[in-house]
Amino acid sequence: MNCQLRMCDGRHVGRRPGYEEARAVLTNGDDRGRLALVEAAGRCFAELGYERTSEAVIAAAAGVSQAEFSARFASRDDAFRAVAAAVFDTFVEAQRIPVPPDADPRTVLRAATAAFIETVYSSGRLFTMIEDRAAVDPVIGEQLEAAHNRILGRYIRFIERLNQAGIATPCAEPAQLARKLSEAQWTGAARLIGASQDEQRRFIVEMTAASERFIGFGEVADLTSRAAS
């Protein structure tokens, strides 16, 4: 059955934005059945919410029996943790920006900032749901912290290298600055999930300009004027 026409709780559920990327980084050997269940779970959680998504709903969306679901996941919570892991992997992979060694550091910063924020946008409702579940599920809380620390670590090292090379003069200690900028990107993008493309794009431009200013590059280009370009 076409995945766009699978049913969750009697309603059609389309493929959620951002989940295409998640499936590319979520594998468990050659267990295609498990991957199909994780994809189905992600669609159902995003469409129906956590409480309305049962094990039976996920199994039906994946086109398998509930017994097959139970053979791969201990519970609905277990399935949600696998979904969260896929989303977190997408965030980490989005930061792997292929750039030449002599690339302008601002180009790297702009690409990484846009990739991170756009991943928040594309994760949609799953992103906010994962944050909510992290407050009550220690496993998801640990997953969230680990993903955030990996992304934050790269940001810190990036700022430190710029400072050491004399390319930029950060307005604060690199770790503190990276943490503040990362939090601003994370929370700001989360507020704009579902907003218009113009609003989302404007935030990326403004956040990039602010990052360049606080990291302490020389004369910062007026990126805001390019928002519509």
Side-chain angles (χ1 to χ4, degrees):
M1 186 183 298
N2 188 301
C3 61
Q4 292 186 334
L5 299 179
R6 285 175 182 158
M7 303 291 288
C8 282
D9 199 25
R11 296 189 295 176
H12 290 291
V13 179
R15 191 181 294 281
R16 299 298 298 178
Y19 222 76
E20 306 281 356
E21 295 88 345
R23 74 181 242 171
V25 294
L26 180 83
T27 56
N28 184 30
D30 294 322
D31 192 347
R32 296 181 183 275
R34 185 178 191 278
L35 177 56
L37 279 165
V38 173
E39 290 182 312
R43 295 194 303 273
C44 292
F45 284 124
E47 178 73 15
L48 306 175
Y50 190 82
E51 295 304 326
R52 294 181 60 199
T53 300
S54 64
E55 295 176 14
V57 165
I58 296 171
V64 302
S65 68
Q66 194 164 346
E68 188 170 344
F69 172 94
S70 299
R72 289 183 167 87
F73 296 104
S75 63
R76 173 184 62 174
D77 288 351
D78 193 26
F80 189 81
R81 290 164 188 156
V83 170
V87 172
F88 293 143
D89 282 346
T90 302
F91 273 98
V92 173
E93 289 300 313
Q95 296 300 297
R96 299 184 188 280
I97 309 297
V99 292
D102 58 347
D104 184 335
R106 292 189 191 187
T107 300
V108 178
L109 176 64
R110 293 166 189 171
T113 300
F116 180 84
I117 294 173
E118 286 169 355
T119 303
V120 176
Y121 293 158
S122 66
S123 296
R125 190 179 178 188
L126 275 176
F127 179 82
T128 53
M129 194 179 304
I130 288 169
E131 287 196 312
D132 290 342
R133 291 299 303 169
V136 297
D137 186 331
V139 174
I140 298 216
E142 290 175 5
Q143 289 177 326
L144 179 60
E145 183 178 8
H148 187 260
N149 285 342
R150 288 181 66 183
I151 295 170
L152 182 60
R154 290 178 181 175
Y155 208 171
I156 292 171
R157 291 190 294 274
F158 175 72
I159 297 174
E160 287 176 338
R161 286 195 296 268
L162 293 177
N163 188 30
Q164 292 166 0
I167 297 172
T169 306
C171 69
E173 190 270 329
Q176 179 185 11
L177 178 58
R179 187 170 292 104
K180 290 294 185 182
L181 290 174
S182 180
E183 289 174 357
Q185 292 175 27
W186 194 282
T187 57
R191 285 196 298 268
L192 291 174
I193 290 174
S196 70
Q197 290 187 350
D198 285 344
E199 288 180 285
Q200 292 182 338
R201 191 175 182 182
R202 189 178 307 116
F203 177 70
I204 292 175
V205 171
E206 292 172 350
M207 193 70 244
T208 301
S211 298
E212 288 194 7
R213 184 168 62 253
F214 292 129
I215 288 173
F217 284 105
E219 182 180 350
V220 179
D222 183 12
L223 294 178
T224 303
S225 66
R226 302 185 216 167
S229 65

